[in-house]
Amino acid sequence: MKPIDIAIVGLGQRTFKKALSAITNEPKHWRLVAAIDPVEEQRVRLNTLFPDFEAVYIAVPYHCYREILPDILSLGIHVLKEKPAAMSPEELSYYQSLADNNSAILTTASQRRYGSAMAQMKFWMECIGSPSTFEAQLKLCIPNLGEGWRARSSLAGGGALADVGWPLLDMIIGLANPNDEVVPVVEYSKLFHAIYQQANNRETKTQPLIQHTSSASEPLSMEWPIIDEALEKEMSNQLHTSISIYGNGGVFEDFETEFKNYHDANCSYTLLHNSGTNALHALYFAAGLSPGDEVIFPVYTFHATCSPAMQFGIKPIFCDANKNGTVSPSAIANAITTKTKAVVKGQHVGTFGNGAAWSLQGQKTVTGGEGGIALTKHAEFHYRMLIFGHYHKRCKLEIRSDHYLHQYALTGAGLKNRAHPLAVAIALNQLRQLPDFHAWKTTFAGHLAEGLAGTPFLTITLPDLTGGTEPAWYAFTMRFIADKAPPGLTRETFVQQLYTKGLIDVDIPRSTGLLHSERLFNKPQELLLHLYGKDYVLEIDDKAFPEAQAFFDEVIKLPVYATAHGQGSTDRYVTTIMEVAASRMEN
């Protein structure tokens, strides 16, 4: 039998120590035709310079597999990859389906159980008897460990712990399964030989370290925030430190300082609140809104963007949206009059306006479960937000003693917007991971956009990226174009079919809608009679917002994952949506 031509992707220490010797020691079985390291330019060269190899050995950091492995498997090339098999069951299922569909062999390697130490341990176990507990220790002997991918949990799927953890699992499985009746992981030389046998139609028993147990229709829900050991430890530390902070120290100071620094707003003021709604409420108070003032809002947004301002008797002026659902700048320009007091829109803070507010609630990328934060460049705004909902100690600490508002420091304005330290501790944990979260969200949003682009009745609604702006990717949206859909298929029935396939986080947003039709905004006098006269009228033509209405009628929202573990889930979203769409187009 002729030798198999093989390529190596990833020239790390493991490749030089183990894989190269395993390949070169068996020249009758293998011929090395390419070796490549996974920088971007070289990955592009993989399919152009060496198109004729039959198998690939891949040893790269965990987060690089998703950029390499699918393309190779799609070409029907056999793959031996370093441990682990995948970072999630969904990711493993995706890789396995690619291999099966393209007649490729996918196998995972590790070798700890075959070392001399493990052989000696197995010998002693026969003398000792069946153990009840295993304890194994490994060291990482890597220069500058803190500078590499192993030091970043979002890239390494657990950092150094996971990198060492997989060999430990291999060792334990080897001890617990001494007869090797089923071999989850095998050593390099044996595994290369196994691929050689399989490529020549011989049977083997090799299978991946992780076994996929979920089905394609099993519910897939995004856990957020991810409750890991680090977050639990920080919560415990805060619980034993303080569960109520009256001033501006402790975790409040840490979060506000780091949040301000993240936004390059060193000359600005930050102030935590118990919700994003109350952060906006305080900011509207700081802006001096009063009855009759016109304030410009997007008509398509969550109601809390506008509802706190109604407490000041303002007149909301709503603006139409762009095709991607965000407010139209030209509509804002046309709405400005001499009575305009404020414009409310979204933009990276520090570059626009007098202040901004964020929610730290629920599924936000930086979440505390509940909470909010406001940022302003002006001391006067900051003092007014303090007085509005942060009385006593904090007001006395931060409002200048010669400022007129200092006289109200003890009582404030009568409200309490103070955040909870436990919520802020959660949010601080998330904030410190925000750069990695954003990088993953950007990557996965790109995968969704590319993977779903070919469906005739789905239009991907990407944000406007002009001017150097970057989306936060709170969610990924696409529009269902009824005119291009198969007969009988509606947005609702399409989403329902995705639910039945397990994509239970697919959403037709209802909490976000066109605000002009909500009674709080067109009939506020019935609820806020002390602010709006009984004859108040908000005259708005129902046809005044065609783009926002069309977006509302067509939008479908998908989650965007924020860690490496979202790779398999994102792939499943693309695969499932495309399969459901294709099946309906065929019918």
Side-chain angles (χ1 to χ4, degrees), residues 9-10 14-15 38 43 46 56-73 79-87 91-92 94-95 98 106-110 149 155-156 163 166 188 440 447 564 567 571:
V9 178
R14 183 63 58 192
T15 299
R43 290 199 298 270
L46 186 63
V56 175
Y57 166 70
I58 306 178
V60 297
Y62 306 153
H63 62 283
C64 294
Y65 281 119
R66 69 182 190 278
E67 301 177 23
I68 301 171
L69 193 54
D71 289 340
I72 296 175
L73 291 174
V79 172
L80 167 61
K81 67 187 291 290
E82 258 283 7
K83 67 351 179 183
M87 295 311 299
E91 182 181 358
L92 178 58
Y94 172 60
Y95 292 156
L98 277 176
L106 171 63
T107 321
T108 304
S110 194
W149 59 272
L155 292 184
D163 192 41
W166 291 110
Y188 284 92
W440 281 112
H447 290 346
Q567 176 67 54
D571 293 336

Side-chain angles (χ1 to χ4, degrees), residues 262-403:
Y262 179 83
H263 289 85
D264 297 324
N266 294 322
C267 62
S268 299
Y269 302 85
T270 46
L271 184 61
L272 281 158
H273 295 74
N274 50 22
S275 71
T277 303
N278 276 338
L280 274 174
H281 197 189
L283 189 58
Y284 293 152
F285 175 79
L289 299 185
S290 58
D293 287 342
E294 293 184 357
V295 181
I296 298 174
F297 296 96
V299 71
Y300 181 77
T301 184
F302 184 61
H303 71 82
T305 305
C306 181
S307 54
M310 301 300 288
Q311 302 294 318
F312 301 103
I314 62 96
K315 181 179 181 180
I317 305 298
F318 295 113
C319 290
D320 202 5
N322 282 327
K323 293 187 181 299
N324 60 16
T326 59
V327 67
S328 166
S330 61
I332 292 176
N334 293 334
I336 295 175
T337 70
T338 56
K339 294 182 179 181
T340 300
K341 187 67 175 284
V343 176
V344 180
K345 60 177 288 187
Q347 190 167 326
H348 196 189
V349 176
T351 65
F352 176 84
N354 294 314
W358 290 258
S359 170
L360 304 176
Q361 184 268 345
Q363 296 292 310
K364 306 302 190 295
T365 305
V366 177
T367 180
E370 293 288 349
I373 188 167
L375 186 150
T376 179
K377 294 181 285 189
H378 308 296
E380 187 70 21
F381 269 56
H382 182 61
Y383 294 163
R384 288 179 63 82
M385 285 192 288
L386 280 167
I387 283 295
F388 190 69
H390 295 73
Y391 53 80
H392 197 24
K393 286 189 178 180
R394 182 146 192 184
C395 289
K396 290 180 177 180
L397 285 169
E398 297 189 36
I399 299 176
R400 293 196 332 263
S401 58
D402 61 346
H403 194 282

Side-chain angles (χ1 to χ4, degrees), residues 138-155:
L138 283 177
K139 283 185 188 178
L140 280 176
C141 300
I142 298 172
N144 303 319
L145 176 60
E147 298 177 6
W149 59 272
R150 292 175 178 84
R152 300 179 64 184
S153 62
S154 62
L155 292 184

